[in-house]
Amino acid sequence: MNLNDLGPLMVRRQDGRLSFDRFRADPALAAVEWPDDVLQDFLFEHGDHGPFVDDYGHLDLSAVTWTLETIPAPDFHTMPTGESEAGLIEHFAQNPVYWASVKGPEVARHWEDHGTWRRAPLLIDRRLLNPSDSGLQVLEGRTRVGVLRGRLREQLHVAPEHQAWVGRQALLVDTKSSDTSMP
């Protein structure tokens, strides 16, 4: 299953007929067992956004598993985003205080107090992409990563590590190999 397979679901979401709870419960998503934060940021909010579909439309959604991981701040310094929105992270990094503030006073205050974001961005293992590569890529959360880069560059308070949802190839379990009996 990929983003194009979810077209009818996306149309219903665009029409405003689906709350996130109803979206999440739709049978079309039965093969996708993702955390709510990932499902909301990836599919509900961006699943039909043109540049997003251009970059990630080929992904087999049911073959991606998500874990909340701790990532060192320097790892975000050169992390790319999708080709369709290349340069967007650096755009946000040019004025990190402004971009944090437009998200609301609580977001700006959280950056000042904690040196990190309030909601974990989504990163994807680049081995899942076409063309494949190594490392991680910012899938969703370009503003957050831009603010982080800008704050680092301007020597503002930044935590040494940050939480992020990371999508990786789902591991297949071989049920035949779990049999330890001898013939």
Side-chain angles (χ1 to χ4, degrees):
M1 171 177 50
N2 63 35
L3 290 174
N4 293 327
D5 296 330
L6 299 175
L9 179 59
M10 292 300 166
V11 168
R12 289 197 321 274
R13 190 224 6 113
Q14 288 172 354
D15 291 345
R17 294 184 296 181
L18 284 181
S19 65
F20 174 70
D21 288 335
R22 289 185 59 211
F23 178 88
R24 176 184 53 197
D26 193 280
L29 296 175
V32 179
E33 297 179 18
W34 292 356
D36 284 351
D37 283 349
V38 175
L39 198 64
Q40 184 167 1
D41 278 356
F42 190 148
L43 299 181
F44 187 72
E45 294 181 9
H46 295 90
D48 58 354
H49 177 63
F52 197 79
V53 174
D54 291 344
D55 292 337
Y56 306 109
H58 70 281
L59 284 175
D60 178 358
L61 303 176
S62 60
V64 180
T65 189
W66 295 89
T67 56
L68 191 60
E69 298 183 16
T70 301
I71 311 289
D75 288 6
F76 289 97
H77 189 65
T78 57
M79 195 178 292
T81 192
E83 186 177 314
S84 296
E85 297 188 317
L88 195 55
I89 292 173
E90 276 309 308
H91 169 75
F92 296 128
Q94 290 174 1
N95 196 342
V97 174
Y98 169 77
W99 287 108
S101 70
V102 299
K103 297 295 183 175
E106 66 283 349
V107 171
R109 194 170 27 259
H110 195 83
W111 274 105
E112 292 300 321
D113 294 346
H114 302 284
T116 192
W117 36 69
R118 293 183 59 191
R119 186 175 170 123
L122 309 182
L123 312 178
I124 189 113
D125 185 330
R126 296 180 76 204
R127 290 177 290 189
L128 293 170
L129 303 178
N130 187 11
S132 178
D133 204 346
S134 62
L136 297 174
Q137 178 166 308
V138 180
L139 186 126
E140 170 35 30
R142 293 170 299 277
T143 304
R144 286 167 271 184
V145 174
V147 168
L148 172 66
R149 283 187 192 174
R151 290 181 67 85
L152 283 168
R153 195 171 15 233
E154 293 182 11
Q155 299 180 354
L156 300 171
H157 174 56
V158 173
E161 298 177 322
H162 306 270
Q163 294 286 296
W165 287 104
V166 179
R168 300 187 190 280
Q169 179 71 42
L171 299 175
L172 299 176
V173 177
D174 182 4
T175 56
K176 293 178 184 177
S177 66
S178 64
D179 184 10
T180 58
S181 62
M182 300 285 274

